[in-house]
Amino acid sequence: MKLSLVFPPILGLLFLSCLASATNSHQNTFIHCLVNHSQPSHPITSSIFTPNNSSFSSVLNDYVRNLRFNTSTTRKPYLIITALHVSHIQASIICAKQHNLQMKIRSGGHDYEGVSYVAEVPFFILDMFNLRSIQVDVENETAWVQTGAQLGELYYRINEKSKVHGFPAGVCPTVGVGGHLSGGGYGNMMRKYGLSVDNIIDAQIIDVNGRLLDRKSMGEDLFWAIKGGGGASFGVVLSYKIKLVKVPKIVTVFQIRKTLDQNASDIVYNWQHVAPTIDNDLFIRLIIDVVNVTQNATNNGAKTIRATFISLFLGDSKTLVSLMNEKFPQLGLKESDCIETSWLQSVLFWTNIDITTPVEILLNRKPQSLVNYLKRKSDYVKEPISSKGLEGIWKKMIELEDAILYFNPYGGKMAEISSTDTPFPHRAGNLWKVQYQANWNKAGKDVADHYIGLTRKLHRYMTPFVSKNPREAFFNYKDLDLGINHNGKNSYAEGRVYGVEYFKDNFDRLVEIKTKVDPDNFFRNEQSIPTLPHRKN
């Protein structure tokens, strides 16, 4: 027994001695602190990666999902801690406070602005990818899922235990559970079951004092805050207990594309009246992009608008076609357009993976498509857009050419849940959410400025058609154009600018909770929840 207690610290000292010649004394001191505060039964040394480690770059880059934040000039972390045990998280918090280092918490790396893995000040990454256990309890229709797991893994493990259960979260299988759930992530069952956060019933979090808390011990205020207010402002969320939802054995999916000469304008006009009000079992996403007109003698190189309707229906194709013929005949859906499949395989369809692919592909933690440079923005629409308004949007998009719009319909369960039930406030009164996209695959500041500029120009053009006072935005579509918090003496004023757009009136409650649980603002980033101004930041 004595050997088991003494041996890990010896390993830690050997580890330190190997690093001594390659790292500066401050780094060694920080690592020494980590080793001293980790449990002998769970040594932290194998979880620490410094820039001198041959695996450092691969560990850093494996979960970078936006190449804008992986350039030669991007500030790199001081080190990366790939936590294997809760004690590693506790040691990271304690030592970061002692050494005044900023800690960035990463689960899947899908933060659109790279906030989980870049900073303008010296920082380190607490990477959660090793903490990804999933325990499904079909009898009680619940599951515990650690925040380092990805959505594809969660869906696969649920399906392993039950073919008639699922979870209403995102359609991208490599998105990390931690950021997705804590920020109010949504999916194509939200009109039926609400958001992911509407189906969380417990959680585990490590607070600023290193305590491991569950819902009972953290209290209802903090539990409320980490269900849509962004967990990284309040602590390190280790796991969530979620409520599983019922799905039929057979669901139906379809994708239909229409261009302007195929009556896309009229179909889109009708979509906005139908999609938020139709049966809650049906979700119809609309994607608008610019494509080439079919080449011919008179239209060589001309551009047009393409509208893509992609859908999930919790039922069979015959029922779906009957419903669509009654409510949305303009689309002209036929049974031959539909694919009947399982709920799990529908995830493949929505991710543009061949639906016949073995579902084990959902366990692959690397994205199936190439990681690109990207920019995202968001908006909310509360009133239908006139035909003339749509025509103006088409004209602007053709002018910009490479900007894309995603429209995600609300209504259903989303309109039934109070705007204060969780920090996510965008409920009744919203017809759909807009996502602005630009994607590119060439490096360089000029190229990036061009594509980022496209999203800003389209966002500006859309001003008359979207919410006002405030102009609402979705927290999980992180957008630093809305404001950046430098976490200094003006932290509250800076935070309020973007905070009200993301959280509306819920921002004030989030600030009060933040001030109570993290008064010195240890858990901070470029768009975190600030403390009240009379408290020290």
Side-chain angles (χ1 to χ4, degrees), residues 190-191 194-195 410-417 424 426-428:
M190 70 174 176
R191 301 190 64 254
L195 304 173
Y410 273 39
K413 188 72 171 179
M414 292 296 292
E416 298 170 10
I417 299 171
F424 180 95
H426 317 289
R427 303 288 187 170

Side-chain angles (χ1 to χ4, degrees), residues 144-156:
W144 273 104
V145 53
Q146 288 189 317
T147 51
Q150 295 183 342
L151 295 181
E153 295 172 313
L154 174 60
Y155 299 157
Y156 182 89

Side-chain angles (χ1 to χ4, degrees), residues 259-261 289-294 302-306 394 398:
T259 56
L260 292 183
D261 63 352
D289 62 352
V290 178
V291 296
N292 291 323
V293 173
T294 303
K303 303 292 182 181
T304 189
I305 289 293
R306 177 177 63 181
W394 307 159
I398 290 172

Side-chain angles (χ1 to χ4, degrees), residues 220-479:
E220 288 302 304
D221 277 347
L222 181 52
F223 181 63
W224 176 85
I226 62 173
K227 294 190 302 172
S233 289
F234 302 94
V236 180
V237 181
L238 177 63
S239 60
Y240 283 106
K241 186 178 184 180
I242 59 174
K243 179 175 61 179
L244 306 184
V245 301
K246 290 288 183 64
V247 296
K249 289 185 177 180
I250 295 295
V251 304
T252 304
V253 293
F254 70 77
Q255 178 174 280
I256 293 179
R257 289 180 166 136
K258 300 287 185 180
T259 56
L260 292 183
D261 63 352
Q262 296 170 319
N263 209 27
S265 288
D266 286 344
I267 299 172
V268 170
Y269 178 83
N270 283 280
W271 171 90
Q272 63 183 335
H273 293 274
V274 173
T277 60
I278 203 166
D279 191 295
N280 294 355
D281 286 333
L282 179 58
F283 182 86
I284 311 172
R285 169 181 278 179
L286 172 58
I287 304 170
I288 308 291
D289 62 352
V290 178
V291 296
N292 291 323
V293 173
T294 303
Q295 296 294 317
N296 57 45
T298 58
N299 288 320
N300 189 27
K303 303 292 182 181
T304 189
I305 289 293
R306 177 177 63 181
T308 301
F309 302 84
I310 179 170
S311 179
L312 171 71
F313 177 63
L314 300 174
D316 61 62
S317 60
K318 185 176 181 180
T319 305
L320 172 59
V321 171
S322 175
L323 175 65
M324 290 288 284
N325 285 340
E326 178 188 354
K327 301 292 186 180
F328 194 14
Q330 296 84 1
L331 189 60
L333 182 71
K334 305 182 295 291
E335 281 208 49
S336 58
D337 298 317
C338 301
I339 301 173
E340 290 187 342
T341 186
S342 69
W343 172 74
L344 190 65
Q345 286 173 304
S346 77
V347 177
L348 304 184
F349 179 85
W350 272 74
T351 319
N352 293 317
I353 299 173
D354 187 331
I355 206 164
T356 63
T357 304
V359 291
E360 283 71 24
I361 196 171
L362 295 174
L363 300 176
N364 188 341
R365 295 178 66 83
K366 292 187 181 295
Q368 294 302 300
S369 56
L370 291 175
V371 176
N372 278 326
Y373 303 83
L374 58 90
K375 173 64 182 177
R376 303 288 188 263
K377 298 178 75 67
S378 62
D379 259 322
Y380 284 88
V381 175
K382 298 179 182 291
E383 299 289 340
I385 300 172
S386 68
S387 295
K388 183 178 179 181
L390 291 174
E391 289 172 8
I393 295 170
W394 307 159
K395 182 178 178 181
K396 187 66 177 179
M397 290 186 71
I398 290 172
E399 173 194 320
L400 298 173
E401 194 169 324
D402 290 317
I404 304 169
L405 292 175
Y406 274 56
F407 292 171
N408 295 286
Y410 273 39
K413 188 72 171 179
M414 292 296 292
E416 298 170 10
I417 299 171
S418 167
S419 62
T420 59
D421 272 11
T422 70
F424 180 95
H426 317 289
R427 303 288 187 170
N430 290 291
L431 296 179
W432 72 85
K433 174 172 59 189
V434 181
Q435 184 188 68
Y436 303 81
Q437 286 195 11
N439 309 289
W440 63 101
N441 55 22
K442 293 182 180 179
K445 183 179 184 301
D446 290 345
V447 178
D449 288 347
H450 168 72
Y451 282 95
I452 292 170
L454 296 181
T455 64
R456 290 171 177 168
K457 289 173 183 175
L458 186 54
H459 183 264
R460 192 179 308 120
Y461 183 85
M462 290 287 288
T463 302
F465 309 113
V466 299
S467 61
K468 300 170 180 64
N469 302 316
R471 184 170 183 171
E472 301 172 33
F474 177 37
F475 179 68
N476 264 5
Y477 288 174
K478 197 72 62 63
D479 180 7

Side-chain angles (χ1 to χ4, degrees), residues 3-15 31-49 81-89 91-92 130:
L3 279 176
S4 66
L5 291 173
V6 173
F7 188 59
I10 291 174
L11 278 180
L13 291 173
L14 289 172
F15 178 78
I31 295 172
H32 203 291
C33 178
L34 292 169
V35 172
N36 285 343
H37 284 89
S38 66
Q39 296 178 4
S41 55
H42 298 282
I44 197 172
T45 52
S46 63
S47 299
I48 301 172
F49 294 84
I81 299 171
T82 59
L84 292 161
H85 187 261
V86 64
S87 63
H88 299 171
I89 301 171
S92 299
N130 283 320

Side-chain angles (χ1 to χ4, degrees), residues 143-178:
W144 273 104
V145 53
Q146 288 189 317
T147 51
Q150 295 183 342
L151 295 181
E153 295 172 313
L154 174 60
Y155 299 157
Y156 182 89
R157 297 305 174 197
I158 293 171
N159 185 75
E160 225 178 13
K161 296 291 183 70
S162 170
K163 308 303 181 190
V164 293
H165 286 89
F167 186 68
V171 299
C172 176
T174 58
V175 166
V177 164

